[in-house]
Amino acid sequence: MYIDDFFHSLTLLQPTYQFINEDFFRDKKYIQILSNDQMPLDIHIKTPAQNYLIYSDLHDLKHLYAYELDSLYHYINEISQFKITIPSTQAIYLEAGILEAIYLYNHLFKTSFKHYSTLLLPLFHLYHILIGHPHKNKEAYPHTYALPFLHQLYVTRFYYFIIQYCYFRFQCQQSHSLTHPYHFELLVENKLSQYLQLSPIHHIADLTYLNNQQLDDYISQMLNAS
């Protein structure tokens, strides 16, 4: 069953890859991101790195602290290497695969997907980032909505989920040396917009016009178990 193989492939969404705890920023004031050679001497550095997030504690705004970002940047780079190509003659399958992945993601997020990561966002909040309006997430994510590296993290995880799904769904080409179709990011944005406008969806074929009984059965079982 391709869905089982897909889930086993999501190694980079495991909790061990959670580099930043959002609760950490609950009582922090974000200042800026600096490289190592820009760091003032009066900021205490616990972990040597090339890039830091400079912040202060809301209870003590006079002192600045440094949070190393190298591990997070390395992870974002690693997960961004996953690319996918589908021959132009099969482009319809890429569109269907993206919609199916979004459909599955949405149901998983509402039930058991938190097992994979606590740094995934609901679809509406992802869409706000994709269209360049992260400020619309301020009420739901008041401590992290203004952190651009977290936006990049959320989006690359979402792309990774979609790419892995499409690969196992259609057994298309996948390699770190390949590149996305030139419109991949725009296509994801458009399909996410389409899904949000038509949601809730009860059968994936209502959205893609491509029957996928395996996916419908999996969603049905998941909903019955929740």
Side-chain angles (χ1 to χ4, degrees):
M1 186 175 181
Y2 83 90
I3 293 180
D4 291 334
D5 293 335
F6 160 66
F7 280 125
H8 285 124
S9 78
L10 296 178
T11 56
L12 294 180
L13 292 186
Q14 296 299 328
T16 52
Y17 284 92
Q18 180 183 339
F19 293 104
I20 290 184
N21 184 349
E22 291 189 37
D23 288 337
F24 173 82
F25 297 100
R26 186 172 300 279
D27 58 352
K28 307 296 189 299
K29 178 180 174 59
Y30 164 67
I31 307 299
Q32 65 184 123
I33 295 175
L34 295 178
S35 62
N36 184 52
D37 57 1
Q38 296 173 315
M39 288 290 289
L41 296 177
D42 59 343
I43 297 181
H44 178 64
I45 299 175
K46 292 183 178 180
T47 305
Q50 294 299 314
N51 300 279
Y52 299 92
L53 171 68
I54 309 304
Y55 66 93
S56 62
D57 193 305
L58 290 178
H59 305 292
D60 180 17
L61 297 177
K62 294 182 180 180
H63 295 88
L64 297 178
Y65 303 90
Y67 192 111
E68 74 91 9
L69 294 176
D70 286 8
S71 298
L72 179 65
Y73 284 168
H74 176 77
Y75 170 70
I76 290 175
N77 181 67
E78 180 181 7
I79 202 171
S80 298
Q81 299 305 309
F82 284 80
K83 308 291 184 181
I84 195 167
T85 56
I86 293 180
S88 58
T89 55
Q90 300 178 24
I92 187 174
Y93 293 114
L94 177 60
E95 296 186 19
I98 291 173
L99 284 169
E100 288 184 5
I102 292 171
Y103 174 69
L104 177 59
Y105 179 101
N106 194 37
H107 282 289
L108 286 169
F109 192 91
K110 294 177 180 178
T111 55
S112 60
F113 198 44
K114 292 293 186 179
H115 166 74
Y116 287 90
S117 172
T118 58
L119 282 179
L120 293 168
L121 292 182
L123 292 179
F124 268 113
H125 299 293
L126 273 170
Y127 183 66
H128 291 158
I129 293 176
L130 288 176
I131 65 174
H133 296 153
H135 60 278
K136 292 187 177 182
N137 294 335
K138 183 176 182 178
E139 183 175 348
Y141 295 91
H143 316 302
T144 59
Y145 79 95
L147 297 173
F149 55 84
L150 282 187
H151 303 163
Q152 188 179 5
L153 175 63
Y154 298 142
V155 169
T156 51
R157 283 179 181 270
F158 188 51
Y159 288 158
Y160 170 72
F161 181 94
I162 291 173
I163 289 169
Q164 293 298 91
Y165 179 88
C166 290
Y167 173 67
F168 285 95
R169 170 72 167 102
F170 298 111
Q171 291 297 300
C172 47
Q173 294 177 305
Q174 186 184 54
S175 169
H176 287 188
S177 64
L178 297 175
T179 58
H180 293 309
Y182 72 94
H183 60 296
F184 178 82
E185 289 81 5
L186 181 59
L187 190 57
V188 170
E189 178 185 321
N190 289 341
K191 294 305 173 184
L192 179 54
S193 175
Q194 178 183 350
Y195 180 86
L196 291 173
Q197 291 175 24
L198 298 176
S199 183
I201 305 298
H202 301 291
H203 299 284
I204 191 59
D206 296 339
L207 188 61
T208 63
Y209 304 105
L210 182 67
N211 187 52
N212 185 346
Q213 194 61 47
Q214 281 193 53
L215 182 57
D216 279 338
D217 289 345
Y218 183 87
I219 296 295
S220 178
Q221 294 171 11
M222 182 174 57
L223 293 177
N224 291 334
S226 61

